[in-house]
Amino acid sequence: MAFLGGPRLLDWASSPPHLQFNRFVLTGYRPVSSGSGCLRSLFYLHNELGNIYTHGALPIIYCTLACTPFPRAIALLSYTALSTYAIFCAVTARSSVRRLRSFAWQALFRFFFFYLRWVGLGTGHPSSLRSYLIMDGLALLGGVINISRVPERWKPGRFDYWFNSHQIMHVLVVVSILYLHWGVVADLQWIANYACPTD
């Protein structure tokens, strides 16, 4: 089914192998496209359109270690390297579970900094920790929904274009980014008025 002059869409079996990660979404797959074809796909209906229209932990680390410059620099470099590796693992993952697992080390790294704040060894605005925990909780929930393939698992074909697990995951990630934003804004306002204690 094409909409607004798009190409003939494919079913799951005819779609490129790298898109065959959800056997419960039966139709609406884009064919392999050029760069301009990908750009045109913003304007016709296909099963990834909702994902396209719905897509930073470094400030968390920076504010947590605001008064310790050398450990802060090491932590920021480590998190950047870890994130690069996680993206590589996610892009080359052969299953949704492995794709989600790719980001586990990043989450553990962030939780270490949440722990530092919680026990009083890190700095930052008192309300931001709650925002960051909600952010990660929503992102995790989105990942679990995505790999469980619910609701399309229950009614294959019914959720090909709207409300499939991948789109629900994107919405939860967007909401989690709002919580990240609120936490970062609180931290940035806090750090603008905070003076590190002198020893």
Side-chain angles (χ1 to χ4, degrees), residues 56-66 68-84 109 113:
L58 295 177
I60 297 169
I61 296 168
Y62 186 91
C63 287
T64 302
L65 301 175
T68 53
F70 183 71
R72 180 182 64 218
I74 297 299
L76 290 170
L77 288 172
S78 298
Y79 189 79
T80 302
L82 185 60
S83 297
T84 303
F109 200 87
F113 289 94

Side-chain angles (χ1 to χ4, degrees), residues 13 25 34 54 71 83 108 111 163 166 168 182:
V25 174
S34 64
T54 57
S83 297
L108 291 174
F111 283 127
F163 307 113
H166 195 77
I168 293 168
W182 295 327

Side-chain angles (χ1 to χ4, degrees), residues 140-156:
L140 177 64
L141 177 62
V144 169
I145 287 171
N146 188 41
I147 64 171
S148 69
R149 306 293 187 229
V150 171
E152 65 270 16
R153 171 184 297 277
W154 298 327
K155 295 216 180 234

Side-chain angles (χ1 to χ4, degrees), residues 2 11 41 44 47 49 54-55 72 88 132 141 146-147 152-153 158 176:
D11 62 11
S41 75
Y44 64 84
N47 67 16
L49 188 65
T54 57
H55 281 48
R72 180 182 64 218
F88 169 77
Y132 298 144
L141 177 62
N146 188 41
I147 64 171
E152 65 270 16
R153 171 184 297 277
R158 183 169 184 165
S176 79

Side-chain angles (χ1 to χ4, degrees), residues 28 50 67 76 78 112 161 179 182 188 193 195:
C67 297
L76 290 170
S78 298
F112 173 71
Y161 291 92
Y179 277 95
W182 295 327
L188 291 176
N193 300 308

Side-chain angles (χ1 to χ4, degrees), residues 43-171:
F43 304 104
Y44 64 84
L45 182 63
H46 52 84
N47 67 16
E48 292 184 281
L49 188 65
N51 308 339
I52 290 170
Y53 282 104
T54 57
H55 281 48
L58 295 177
I60 297 169
I61 296 168
Y62 186 91
C63 287
T64 302
L65 301 175
C67 297
T68 53
F70 183 71
R72 180 182 64 218
I74 297 299
L76 290 170
L77 288 172
S78 298
Y79 189 79
T80 302
L82 185 60
S83 297
T84 303
Y85 179 69
I87 290 168
F88 169 77
C89 290
V91 168
T92 59
R94 298 197 184 275
S95 74
S96 295
V97 173
R98 287 185 184 206
R99 191 172 294 116
L100 180 61
R101 199 181 315 152
S102 300
F103 298 102
W105 287 109
Q106 280 182 301
L108 291 174
F109 200 87
R110 281 191 311 276
F111 283 127
F112 173 71
F113 289 94
F114 298 162
Y115 175 77
L116 290 178
R117 284 188 180 199
W118 184 61
V119 298
L121 296 174
T123 54
H125 190 277
S127 73
S128 63
L129 180 58
R130 178 180 170 271
S131 294
Y132 298 144
L133 291 172
I134 292 171
M135 169 200 71
D136 270 343
L138 289 170
L140 177 64
L141 177 62
V144 169
I145 287 171
N146 188 41
I147 64 171
S148 69
R149 306 293 187 229
V150 171
E152 65 270 16
R153 171 184 297 277
W154 298 327
K155 295 216 180 234
R158 183 169 184 165
F159 301 99
D160 288 357
Y161 291 92
W162 298 107
F163 307 113
N164 61 55
S165 60
H166 195 77
Q167 292 171 347
I168 293 168
M169 181 266 305
H170 275 268
V171 170

